[in-house]
Amino acid sequence: MIEVLDGGVQTTVQDGGRPGNLAAGYPPAGAQDYYALSIANLLVGNELTPPPMSAAPPGHAGLEMLIKGASLRFEGDAVFALAGADMGGTLDGKPVERYRPIRAASGSVLKLGFVRSGARGYFATAGGIDVPLCLKSRSTYIRARRGGLEGRPLRAGDRLRLGERTAPLAALAGRRLPAALPVEPAEPRSIRVVLGPQDYMFTAESIETFLSHDWELSPVSDRMGMRLIGPPLTLHERPEYLVRDAGTGVADIVDDVIPIGGIQVPGGIEPIVMGVENPTAGGYAKIATVISADLGKMGQIMPRQTLRFAAVSQAEAIAIRESQWRALKESDAALRSGCSAAHPE
Amino acid sequence: MIYEPPKIRPLGDCYLGVEFGDEGHLPLSFRVLALADLLARESIDGILEIVPTLRQLGVVLDGRAAAAESVRERIEALLPSVAAPKSVPSRLIRIPVWYDDPWGAAIAERYAVPKNIDFVAGLNGMTVAELIASHCSTDYWVACVGFAPGCYFSCPMDRNRSLIAPKYETPRDYTPARMISTAGIFSCAYPVASPGGYQLLGRMAVNIYEQTPRNAAFGEDGVLFRAGDRLRYYPVDALEYDAIWEAVQADEYAYDITEEVFDVEAYLASAAMS
């Protein structure tokens, strides 16, 4: 068991999410930065977190911590790992590193503070966090209060059950990441998008502006959507039937699927990048869609920081995602067969 | 505009969108659902799930580069044979509504806008009583379930019963659960309390979403409606509303659901005449 001493700003149980329920209105939820949670799981011998909207099982559940991390007391010996945002973790007062497995004795206290880099920190512990499955996933869907622990962020006094470990603690604590596996993205503020599905509604100049301008993340951002501040974007005049069927707003469309990463531009101002708790359908034009491999990068940007978009094709985006996921799986296989000794003890 | 042939657009790397048009034309939904049915029966390798909306079918890819191109090709090959079916199984679900309800009045006051039902009645040249009668005099086709769990997008099946209503210029940050609403071509309801911008007409006395599903009418996901259902609203007064809502809370309410086969061909023929 783990006791929560302090829930931080917003700490939730997350795994790879629950795709397969979009037609009932459920977004996938799951880790906003799947790659970071996957690395943490990899380090402690857990099942990996797959990319969002994946056929693979959702993997072991860990914790996603926003801006300011949680304080946790281990009731029983454990091995844990931290990844994603640097929250200056200490275990019984001594600093702990990210990206390596750490042994915690029963009674010890892990404290995480305000982020020093990134926006979301991830915690995984050997065996994973064991909360009841909701539609085959343990991920928390905060807005609908489903999944996770009672469908809500953690708070002081909560106690989390742990699942069964795959190996003895000593063996898990010796795991090291293969040196070739990147732990953080090379270009954290460059977000790749596939243009569309409604890019044709925007003027060519606006597409150019969208791809060349710095965009600032608004504090009005969460797992549902991340708002951007920047220049207004101009849309072509719409046919009369859209005014009748969809509404009077310049970006109103007859509602269609909103993909995760979809960038809605209501009224042509303040684009909103949809997160893993996106509304699954909606009625505003989407200029572009953030590729799933970069949704994690998007989730690590702090309010007031800036980013830039770069366009890729759908085929390129699928290839990027596939190679990212393959690298994780290959590292996992190497660690399981015990042949990765990049950093021997 | 109706797209012939339908357009296939990428939605990021996770989905393809197969669009039959960009307008709010109800008959498009029959073709969207026909394609959904076809894809489900063909069980095409590389498709994770399918998501119908009124005018577009979302097809979720499974993330394998090798499969993505072949999925697109398979869909393109199937498209010429996608037509509205002669008939489809379609449930009819009857929904009791307290129109011109006190919550709608309170919301109007809170957001300093005219009471929505008065506003919509005025726009459509009706009295509130006429608006209620009109709203209850046609079935609504559920073209899409989305936005949030259990939220449905439905259109009046009698086009002459379509209402004119704009969305709020500044959306509300709060709408009580179970409010029914209208804007553009759609009639919707709020499954849980949430932000929103549609004009509010009344409050339903039953759930369309249960966070912890209890009643057998709800699936494991707690959702009542599915795309391809039809719904019919009927008016109840305050006393009837209270009685039904109490029964719902005690899980003693029997949802009014009729399994039917809907004659699409006859509907399209009569819609073309009207």
Side-chain angles (χ1 to χ4, degrees):
Chain A
M1 298 280 270
I2 288 178
E3 186 189 353
V4 178
L5 303 178
D6 177 354
V9 167
Q10 185 192 76
T11 299
T12 51
V13 177
Q14 299 295 348
D15 59 16
R18 58 176 69 77
N21 303 286
L22 290 173
Y26 281 84
Q32 180 66 45
D33 184 350
Y34 94 89
Y35 191 83
L37 179 57
S38 213
I39 293 260
N41 273 324
L42 173 62
L43 282 162
V44 296
N46 285 349
E47 226 178 277
L48 298 180
T49 316
M53 308 295 297
S54 174
H60 277 100
L63 300 180
E64 175 176 287
M65 299 174 284
L66 178 69
I67 309 273
K68 179 183 177 287
S71 292
L72 309 169
R73 176 159 50 215
F74 295 91
E75 300 176 3
D77 294 345
V79 166
F80 71 90
L82 300 169
D86 180 0
M87 296 179 145
T90 60
L91 185 66
D92 288 335
K94 290 191 209 79
V96 286
E97 281 180 68
R98 290 175 297 158
Y99 302 118
R100 57 188 301 165
I102 300 196
R103 280 193 77 153
S106 185
S108 57
V109 173
L110 172 67
K111 280 190 181 169
L112 295 152
F114 277 98
V115 287
R116 299 162 172 186
S117 69
R120 288 176 168 90
Y122 290 86
F123 166 92
T125 185
I129 308 282
D130 185 20
V131 292
L133 285 168
C134 166
L135 301 172
K136 297 180 184 156
S137 162
R138 295 186 167 84
S139 62
T140 314
Y141 174 14
I142 301 171
R143 286 204 165 238
R145 286 177 283 163
R146 294 297 300 263
L149 185 77
E150 298 169 2
R152 58 168 174 81
L154 303 182
R155 55 191 182 217
D158 285 339
R159 296 178 76 231
L160 304 169
R161 284 164 50 101
L162 305 184
E164 216 156 290
R165 295 189 290 268
T166 55
L169 291 174
L172 293 174
R175 286 167 79 99
R176 294 293 176 271
L177 293 176
L181 184 72
V183 291
E184 284 178 0
E187 296 175 279
R189 307 290 185 77
S190 172
I191 306 293
R192 290 164 290 189
V193 297
V194 176
L195 286 176
Q198 279 89 31
D199 51 325
Y200 63 91
M201 290 178 68
F202 294 80
T203 63
E205 297 76 43
S206 279
I207 300 281
E208 173 64 26
T209 302
F210 174 74
L211 291 173
S212 61
H213 206 278
D214 281 341
W215 294 92
E216 182 184 311
L217 188 74
S218 154
V220 189
S221 295
D222 59 15
R223 285 166 47 82
M224 183 180 190
M226 294 160 269
R227 272 173 200 271
L228 302 175
I229 300 162
L233 300 173
T234 310
L235 291 98
H236 297 296
E237 198 168 326
R238 296 172 312 145
E240 193 53 38
Y241 63 82
L242 280 186
V243 178
R244 178 196 70 209
D245 293 353
T248 49
V250 294
D252 289 0
I253 60 168
V254 175
D255 300 58
D256 69 353
V257 169
I258 305 180
I260 53 166
I263 307 175
Q264 279 192 335
V265 195
I269 51 166
E270 292 211 359
I272 306 167
V273 181
M274 294 300 167
V276 291
E277 285 196 21
N278 62 321
T280 59
Y284 297 112
K286 295 164 285 293
I287 190 170
T289 305
V290 172
I291 71 172
S292 59
D294 281 0
L295 268 179
K297 284 205 271 189
M298 198 61 224
Q300 293 295 2
I301 295 171
M302 282 286 278
R304 303 292 174 219
Q305 288 181 334
T306 58
L307 61 103
R308 259 185 207 222
F309 292 113
V312 296
S313 71
Q314 184 179 48
E316 286 168 318
I318 293 173
I320 293 165
R321 167 194 171 108
E322 200 176 36
S323 75
Q324 205 180 60
W325 179 221
R326 192 186 313 118
L328 284 166
K329 285 192 292 187
E330 284 172 0
S331 300
D332 186 45
L335 284 184
R336 280 182 202 286
S337 67
C339 64
S340 172
H343 306 283
E345 281 292 279
Chain B
M1 187 198 276
I2 312 288
Y3 299 149
E4 287 294 356
K7 293 184 195 287
I8 302 181
R9 301 187 203 271
L11 278 60
D13 57 316
C14 295
Y15 321 51
L16 294 174
V18 185
E19 285 185 47
F20 291 82
D22 66 348
E23 66 183 276
H25 185 52
L26 197 160
L28 292 179
S29 173
F30 299 118
R31 294 175 70 198
V32 168
L33 293 174
L35 177 60
D37 198 41
L38 203 54
L39 293 181
R41 273 188 284 127
E42 296 265 321
S43 62
I44 294 170
D45 188 41
I47 295 182
L48 204 56
E49 60 179 308
I50 46 182
V51 197
T53 66
L54 173 71
R55 60 184 186 83
Q56 168 224 40
L57 186 70
V59 177
V60 180
L61 304 169
D62 73 358
R64 287 177 302 136
E69 198 47 41
S70 74
V71 166
R72 190 186 181 108
E73 283 165 12
R74 287 295 298 282
I75 294 173
E76 274 169 354
L78 286 171
L79 277 177
S81 60
V82 173
K86 284 190 178 357
S87 63
V88 284
S90 167
R91 304 182 304 169
L92 177 65
I93 304 180
R94 295 178 74 241
I95 298 287
V97 178
W98 182 356
Y99 285 94
D100 201 4
D101 62 291
W103 299 276
I107 285 289
E109 202 175 312
R110 175 163 163 187
Y111 292 93
V113 294
K115 200 162 73 174
N116 296 184
I117 193 165
D118 296 346
F119 172 67
V120 175
L123 268 183
N124 290 275
M126 298 179 195
T127 65
V128 167
E130 285 165 349
L131 176 97
I132 295 168
S134 171
H135 202 248
C136 292
S137 67
T138 177
D139 292 341
Y140 291 76
W141 180 257
V142 177
C144 170
V145 174
F147 182 70
C151 181
Y152 61 81
F153 292 80
S154 73
C155 312
M157 300 194 74
D158 179 352
R159 284 183 71 130
N160 299 319
R161 300 296 180 188
S162 297
L163 295 170
I164 302 164
K167 295 169 190 162
Y168 277 38
E169 275 176 30
T170 309
R172 299 175 296 271
D173 54 10
Y174 173 74
T175 314
R178 298 179 286 109
M179 297 300 290
I180 66 155
S181 62
T182 191
I185 52 160
F186 289 118
S187 165
C188 301
Y190 293 86
V192 296
S194 54
Y198 278 43
Q199 306 288 341
L200 307 176
L201 301 181
R203 194 174 202 195
M204 52 173 71
V206 298
N207 281 323
I208 52 170
Y209 170 70
E210 287 195 346
Q211 197 177 334
T212 311
R214 298 175 306 163
N215 193 289
F218 294 82
E220 189 196 352
D221 54 23
V223 168
L224 181 62
F225 282 102
R226 308 286 157 182
D229 286 338
R230 287 158 302 139
L231 75 104
R232 180 171 281 239
Y233 302 111
Y234 66 95
V236 294
D237 62 26
L239 285 176
E240 291 166 317
Y241 173 94
D242 280 349
I244 297 170
W245 179 234
E246 273 178 33
V248 166
Q249 286 173 297
D251 195 20
E252 285 162 0
Y253 176 78
Y255 280 79
D256 187 346
I257 303 172
T258 318
E259 310 266 355
E260 289 178 342
V261 173
F262 177 68
D263 189 336
V264 178
E265 204 169 35
Y267 169 74
L268 290 174
S270 72
M273 303 280 284
S274 70

